[in-house]
Amino acid sequence: ILTILGNSAVLATAVKRSSLLKSPELLTVNLAVADIGMAISMYPLAIASAWNHAWLGGDASCIYYALMGFLFGVCSMMTLCAMAVIRFLVTNSSKSNRNKVTKTTVCILITFIWLYSLLWAILPLVGWGYYGPEPFGISCTIAWSKFHNSSNGFSFILSMFLLCTVLPALTIVACYLGIAWKVHKAYQEIQNTDRIPNAAKLEKKLTLMAVLISVGFLSSWTPYAAASFWSIFNSSDSLQPIVTLLPCLFAKSSTAYNPFIYYIFSKTFRCEIKQLQCCCGWRVPFFSTDSTAENAVSMMWSG
C-alpha cells in the first residue's frame, strides 16, 4: 500500500510537471515506475501464497514471479546507480557542462537500463542460470543453490552478483561520498562569509539525503544478499524458514522508502502532495523548512 500510494504520488507529480521536469528527474520517475511495477506484478501473488501457506500456480507462476522480481530489481539498482553517477558529474562539473546532461541523453540511458535488466531477467529462461522457489516456499527467485551443482549456475550467479549487485553498489557509495566531500569543501571555502547559516543547512541536507538514499537501499537488500550468499555455500535447510523469509520481506520494503525521502527534501514535491491532498481529501503532515536553504538544495540536487 505504501509503495503504490507513494510512487503513484511521484508519478502524478511528474505528469503534472512534465514540461518543467529537469533531465535528472526522469531517473526518479523511472525508479518510481520500477518500484510500483514490482508491487503490482509480484506482491499480490506473494500475499496470496502466504495466506495459502504454499506457493500458488506451480512452476509457471514461480518463473513469472522470479522474472518480474529480477527485472524490476536490476532496473531499480541500475537506476539508482545512474542517478548517483549523474549527480556526481553535475556536482563536480562547471555550470556550462551541466547542460550537457539533456533529456535525450537520460532517455537513452533509461532505455539502456531497461534493456540491460531485461537481458539479465531472460537469461535463465534461455539456459544460463535457473529460477526456483525460495527456501521458505512462498516466493521464487534465482536458484542460488545451483552455484555448486553446475558450472552453468556457478557462472551465472557469479556474473550477476558482480555486475548487478557489487559493482553498482560500490559506484553508488563512491559517488555519494564524492558529493558529500565536494559540498564539504565548498562549505569550507565560504566559511568566512555571511552565508554560513544557509551553507551549513545546505551541506547538512545534501549529505543526509545522500546517506539516506544509499543506506536505505543498501541496508534493505544487504540481509537478503547475505542470506542468498549463505545458501550458495551451505544447504538451505541449515537456516530456519523465518531467517530466509525476513530478509526477503525487508528487501521488498525498499520500494516504499524513496517517496518519503523526496517528501522530506523536496519542497516542490511537498507542495504537489498538498495539492493532491486537497483534491483527494486526505491529509499529510508537513515538515517546516527554511525556504532559502530548501531552494538551494532543490537547485543543486536536481542539477
Side-chain angles (χ1 to χ4, degrees), residues 170-214:
L170 292 177
T171 303
I172 291 171
V173 172
C175 287
Y176 284 133
L177 286 176
I179 292 172
W181 176 251
K182 178 68 175 180
V183 174
H184 175 69
K185 296 296 290 184
Y187 169 68
Q188 286 185 328
E189 293 175 359
I190 60 173
Q191 61 182 343
N192 294 324
T193 69
D194 294 334
R195 297 174 58 192
I196 292 179
N198 287 338
K201 293 177 182 178
L202 174 60
E203 178 189 355
K204 180 180 178 180
K205 288 192 175 185
L206 282 173
T207 304
L208 183 58
M209 187 172 187
V211 169
L212 286 175
I213 291 175
S214 301

Side-chain angles (χ1 to χ4, degrees), residues 86-274:
I86 288 180
R87 285 168 176 167
F88 176 79
L89 294 176
V90 167
T91 303
N92 289 273
S93 300
S94 62
K95 190 172 182 180
S96 59
N97 291 331
R98 292 177 186 178
N99 296 327
K100 293 182 179 180
V101 184
T102 63
K103 286 187 177 181
T104 301
T105 302
V106 175
C107 287
I108 294 174
L109 180 59
I110 290 174
T111 302
F112 172 77
I113 288 173
W114 280 103
L115 291 176
Y116 183 82
S117 304
L118 182 62
L119 173 64
W120 278 102
I122 64 176
L123 284 176
L125 301 181
V126 297
W128 192 32
Y130 308 93
Y131 287 134
E134 298 269 19
F136 50 87
I138 56 173
S139 72
C140 296
T141 186
I142 298 168
W144 302 102
S145 60
K146 298 291 186 180
F147 184 81
H148 286 300
N149 295 348
S150 68
S151 58
N152 188 345
F154 171 83
S155 60
F156 174 77
I157 291 174
L158 183 62
S159 301
M160 181 276 302
F161 189 69
L162 291 175
L163 298 178
C164 298
T165 305
V166 175
L167 185 59
L170 292 177
T171 303
I172 291 171
V173 172
C175 287
Y176 284 133
L177 286 176
I179 292 172
W181 176 251
K182 178 68 175 180
V183 174
H184 175 69
K185 296 296 290 184
Y187 169 68
Q188 286 185 328
E189 293 175 359
I190 60 173
Q191 61 182 343
N192 294 324
T193 69
D194 294 334
R195 297 174 58 192
I196 292 179
N198 287 338
K201 293 177 182 178
L202 174 60
E203 178 189 355
K204 180 180 178 180
K205 288 192 175 185
L206 282 173
T207 304
L208 183 58
M209 187 172 187
V211 169
L212 286 175
I213 291 175
S214 301
V215 174
F217 184 82
L218 295 177
S219 63
S220 63
W221 280 96
T222 296
Y224 181 77
S228 300
F229 197 72
W230 174 271
S231 65
I232 287 176
F233 298 101
N234 301 274
S235 171
S236 58
D237 296 334
S238 62
L239 294 176
Q240 295 294 324
I242 192 67
V243 177
T244 56
L245 173 61
L246 290 180
C248 183
L249 295 177
F250 194 45
K252 289 181 172 63
S253 70
S254 65
T255 58
Y257 297 159
N258 293 320
F260 291 97
I261 298 176
Y262 305 148
Y263 183 83
I264 294 172
F265 289 95
S266 174
K267 183 179 180 181
T268 300
F269 185 59
R270 285 202 301 273
C271 291
E272 294 294 341
I273 291 296
K274 187 174 182 180

